[in-house]
Amino acid sequence: MSSLTGANIPSSASVLMQLLRYARGHRRQIRLASLSSVLNKLFDIMPEILIGMAIDVIVRQEQSFLADFGIADPFNQILFLGVLTIAVWALESLFQFFLQILWRTLSQNLQHDLRLDAYGHMQDLDMAWFEDASTGKLVAILNDDVNQLERFLDGGANALIQVATSIIGVGAVFFYISPQIALLAFTPIPVIILGAFWFQRRAQPLYATVREKVGLLSTRLANNIAGIATIKSFTREKYELEQLAHESADYVAANRSAIRISSAFIPVIRMAILAGFVATLVYGGKLTLDGQLNAGAYSVLVFLTQRLLWPLTSLAETVDLFERAMASTRRILNLIEVPVHTRSGSIALPIDQVRGELAFADVNFAYSNGARVLHGINLHIAPGETIAVVGQTGSGKSTIMKLLLRFYAPTAGSIRLDGIDLKELQIPDLRAAFGLVSQDVFLFHGSVAENIAYGRAHARMAEIEAAARAAEAHDFILQLPQGYDTIVGERGQKLSGGQRQRVSIARAVLKDPPVLILDEATSAVDNETEAAIQRSLEKLIVGRTTIIIAHRLSTIRNADRIFLLENGQIIEQGKHDDLVSLEGQYSVLWKVQTGEKITEFPFDPVN
């Protein structure tokens, strides 16, 4: 995700239009909520008009404004105003209820949709994109930024609509009663609106910076929590606290700059409001004393001036909330608009039809930074065959696995499953055909049973236990505090490395894929655990195509074929015994790992 700078930040108005286009499925609710806000405000300003009419009745009696509508008796006029007041307050309260329900429901629904759409789109993005993305920033977008928009919709949207309604509604009454006073009373409004736009322009880049600092702060927290064991082992608690203090101070400073602008705006609004109110009070009073304006009308104007102008004091706060929401919305929509380069194909391949034949034809691959990893890879794997890929670190072994799962696409050449180019297959069908057991096992925060059943969510408990037995995990699981219901913690941290690996194997057993990829599955465990895992894997690979990516050559001695990679090219291939007898690089690696004395290396054997 590219950071936003002042030079390329879209305006808040354009972001709002993007948001409205996104929310087209909620338009009916938006209209109803907006209508409720308008009607609530209209009924809210009517009591001031009724008070003025009551004063008019008291002063003018049979010549009052209401007398012109056929209610001659002054007491009957007061009774009528009393009934009307009850009706107005009841309707104002009713629409207050409607607007709160509608706006809050809209905010909940829209933030729910945005969070799910942003997360769903993020899941579809290419693995290369995640290599440059920050976990903390993504969490901040999906959580804090979405919540920021929710806060604006909860109250800010209604406030903006009601301010506009007040200006139009009160303005109509003013111009009806006295255009001269209306002009005086409304003189501050352009100043207030221009001030709001000035504030909006000044605040926009500041709030973009605030959201950027939130992302950096979230990244720091996420990394430190994930690496707490490393922090403790190197006694870097004080250093990390100091780094967090710097990140937090930067966030506070960014917020302080925005708050300073907002705080300066409020006194300006108050003085403009004071000018409008005093003008109405003095000039309206003079017209009333001169007999050009009756007392009831004067009362209406004085009351409505306050009703019109005083809510504008909160305009700065509302615009502040709006700018924060638009800065957050900008980041959410930017995430949703990130293009997906690895598109799913159109050909379906149900898992029960997969034979497991794989073919690489002149496959080349280079990462986005230009580093070439694979060069002209050609290999054919028959259904049910077990092959192994070995080589030094950086030779391209794990890249082959990533290409098979379409985490990346080949730069050139093609990879086929059962004769079909992977790019033509529907991605869910393709990945359903593969089972992956990797060196870096990721377990989710949940029970052991839930993690084993991750690939088959509706598996029965008997099937889960059978998979665990096949992975030689059943015995240690029963010894856990709650057995299969034991919570493993984030990333499975409550289990040992070997236990996590066996749960991962059980997960693959339960998925029962036609093609199995073992990526350094035993490289990080002790010898005893490795032996147990090897027994599990020997059962697991029966009857399915298996690709073993290995560092320890002892684990792949029985593979049907072994491919040795160097600098992204296959330089040797064959069975284990044949490769050892060739006295080539594979033979040297084997002698190194078995402890034989070697006087001369034809290459650097260090992995």
Side-chain angles (χ1 to χ4, degrees):
M1 288 180 297
S2 61
S3 60
L4 293 169
T5 63
N8 59 7
I9 299 175
S11 70
S12 295
S14 66
V15 174
L16 178 60
M17 294 308 297
Q18 282 182 276
L19 179 62
L20 290 174
R21 285 194 295 271
Y22 171 84
R24 55 185 176 272
H26 300 278
R27 283 178 182 171
R28 182 174 180 273
Q29 192 170 7
I30 292 173
R31 292 191 188 102
L32 289 174
S34 301
L35 179 62
S36 297
S37 295
V38 170
L39 292 174
N40 170 259
K41 178 51 63 177
L42 290 177
F43 285 116
D44 184 49
I45 63 179
M46 283 187 68
E48 279 72 16
I49 299 175
L50 296 177
I51 291 172
M53 294 173 69
I55 294 173
D56 186 52
V57 170
I58 298 298
V59 174
R60 299 174 63 201
Q61 299 189 13
E62 287 83 359
Q63 283 77 42
S64 69
F65 176 76
L66 279 179
D68 295 337
F69 291 90
I71 308 175
D73 182 69
F75 183 68
N76 289 336
Q77 294 178 36
I78 293 297
L79 284 177
F80 174 76
L81 288 175
V83 172
L84 192 57
T85 299
I86 293 174
V88 166
W89 278 74
L91 289 170
E92 188 271 338
S93 300
L94 178 65
F95 285 107
Q96 178 73 26
F97 170 77
F98 283 154
L99 76 86
Q100 288 185 337
I101 291 292
L102 289 168
W103 280 117
R104 289 178 180 178
T105 302
L106 174 65
S107 71
Q108 293 297 316
N109 291 340
L110 191 55
Q111 64 95 11
H112 175 74
D113 289 350
L114 272 170
R115 182 177 285 115
L116 290 186
D117 287 348
Y119 175 77
H121 180 75
M122 183 192 71
Q123 286 192 134
D124 292 335
L125 292 174
D126 307 281
M127 290 300 295
W129 182 86
F130 284 96
E131 292 173 358
D132 296 325
S134 160
T135 302
K137 287 183 180 180
L138 291 175
V139 171
I141 289 172
L142 294 172
N143 188 38
D144 193 47
D145 284 327
V146 172
N147 291 341
Q148 189 70 52
L149 176 61
E150 178 193 357
R151 285 191 286 272
F152 169 71
L153 291 174
D154 268 350
N158 170 66
L160 287 176
I161 291 172
Q162 293 204 332
V163 165
T165 303
S166 292
I167 293 173
I168 296 171
V170 173
V173 175
F174 262 72
F175 279 97
Y176 174 77
I177 295 175
S178 174
Q180 302 99 311
I181 297 178
L183 290 174
L184 289 174
F186 275 70
T187 298
I189 292 180
V191 176
I192 294 171
I193 293 176
L194 288 174
F197 279 114
W198 174 85
F199 166 71
Q200 182 263 333
R201 286 195 300 271
R202 291 289 301 272
Q204 184 174 303
L206 297 178
Y207 284 127
T209 302
V210 168
R211 302 319 307 160
E212 187 73 18
K213 296 301 181 183
V214 167
L216 294 174
L217 185 59
S218 297
T219 297
R220 171 71 62 179
L221 289 169
N223 287 341
N224 284 11
I225 292 171
I228 191 66
T230 303
I231 292 172
K232 286 178 175 294
S233 66
F234 284 91
T235 63
R236 297 290 280 173
E237 292 92 342
K238 182 179 179 181
Y239 169 80
E240 292 299 341
L241 183 60
E242 290 173 352
Q243 295 304 305
L244 181 62
H246 289 314
E247 299 280 6
S248 183
D250 288 345
Y251 170 62
V252 170
N255 246 321
R256 188 183 295 122
S257 298
I259 292 169
R260 189 180 299 116
I261 295 294
S262 174
S263 300
F265 182 35
I266 293 175
V268 174
I269 289 180
R270 287 179 177 272
M271 295 309 297
I273 290 169
L274 176 63
F277 181 75
V278 170
T280 302
L281 184 70
V282 174
Y283 186 66
K286 181 180 183 303
L287 293 179
T288 304
L289 291 173
D290 293 343
Q292 299 179 41
L293 191 68
N294 64 60
Y298 175 61
S299 301
V300 170
L301 294 179
V302 171
F303 286 132
L304 283 184
T305 301
Q306 187 174 12
R307 175 66 74 178
L308 167 68
L309 297 177
W310 191 250
L312 294 175
T313 57
S314 64
L315 185 60
E317 182 180 347
T318 303
V319 173
D320 179 83
L321 195 59
F322 172 75
E323 279 303 319
R324 288 178 182 270
M326 291 305 100
S328 293
T329 302
R330 189 179 298 119
R331 282 158 55 90
I332 300 167
L333 295 178
N334 282 347
L335 173 58
I336 292 175
E337 291 170 0
V338 173
V340 177
H341 298 294
T342 304
R343 296 287 182 182
S344 183
S346 59
I347 299 177
L349 186 62
I351 192 169
D352 56 358
Q353 297 180 17
V354 177
R355 295 182 296 110
E357 180 185 16
L358 291 165
F360 286 66
D362 295 320
V363 170
N364 295 313
F365 178 74
Y367 287 103
S368 57
N369 60 9
R372 295 188 65 187
V373 181
L374 298 179
H375 312 271
I377 299 296
N378 289 282
L379 61 90
H380 177 267
I381 307 171
E385 186 178 15
T386 297
I387 68 113
V389 181
V390 299
Q392 301 177 65
T393 299
S395 61
K397 303 188 300 294
S398 293
T399 301
I400 288 177
M401 175 270 292
K402 295 174 183 177
L403 293 178
L404 283 171
L405 293 172
R406 286 207 74 197
F407 290 164
Y408 299 92
T411 308
S414 65
I415 305 174
R416 295 179 177 273
L417 172 62
D418 292 348
I420 306 171
D421 196 315
L422 297 190
K423 66 184 179 183
E424 297 177 1
L425 287 170
Q426 295 179 7
I427 287 180
D429 284 359
L430 167 66
R431 291 175 182 162
F434 287 86
L436 173 64
V437 180
S438 64
Q439 173 185 1
D440 184 20
V441 176
F442 189 97
L443 300 184
F444 293 90
H445 184 74
S447 69
V448 175
E450 288 170 338
N451 274 281
I452 293 175
Y454 191 72
R456 281 181 58 192
H458 302 293
R460 298 188 305 274
M461 195 62 210
E463 295 174 313
I464 293 172
E465 291 185 7
R469 285 191 177 91
E472 298 198 13
H474 180 71
D475 291 341
F476 90 76
I477 292 174
L478 291 182
Q479 295 174 7
L480 296 174
Q482 283 82 42
Y484 281 86
D485 293 325
T486 301
I487 302 299
V488 302
E490 291 187 14
R491 300 182 65 89
Q493 60 186 349
K494 293 184 178 181
L495 303 180
S496 69
Q499 289 173 335
R500 289 196 297 271
Q501 194 67 270
R502 278 181 273 184
V503 169
S504 175
I505 294 170
R507 185 161 60 189
V509 170
L510 186 60
K511 185 180 180 182
D512 192 24
V515 182
L516 181 66
I517 301 175
L518 306 175
D519 185 10
E520 303 279 12
T522 62
S523 64
V525 296
D526 57 66
N527 291 335
E528 182 180 351
T529 303
E530 180 185 3
I533 292 175
Q534 280 298 123
R535 291 193 299 270
S536 304
L537 295 178
E538 287 172 5
K539 302 172 188 174
L540 182 58
I541 66 176
V542 174
R544 71 187 83 236
T545 303
T546 305
I547 300 166
I548 305 173
I549 298 169
H551 166 66
R552 296 182 185 177
L553 303 186
S554 58
T555 63
I556 49 93
R557 291 185 61 177
N558 297 323
D560 296 323
R561 281 185 298 159
I562 300 170
F563 296 86
L564 176 63
L565 285 182
E566 182 179 277
N567 296 325
Q569 294 178 303
I570 298 174
I571 59 171
E572 293 180 12
Q573 59 179 295
K575 288 183 174 293
H576 170 79
D577 292 339
D578 295 336
L579 291 175
V580 171
S581 64
L582 282 177
E583 297 292 335
Q585 294 190 16
Y586 182 89
S587 176
V588 173
L589 288 174
W590 174 251
K591 291 176 181 177
V592 168
Q593 292 190 16
T594 55
E596 288 189 36
K597 184 176 180 180
I598 301 175
T599 57
E600 184 177 350
F601 289 101
F603 67 102
D604 180 5
V606 179
N607 285 291

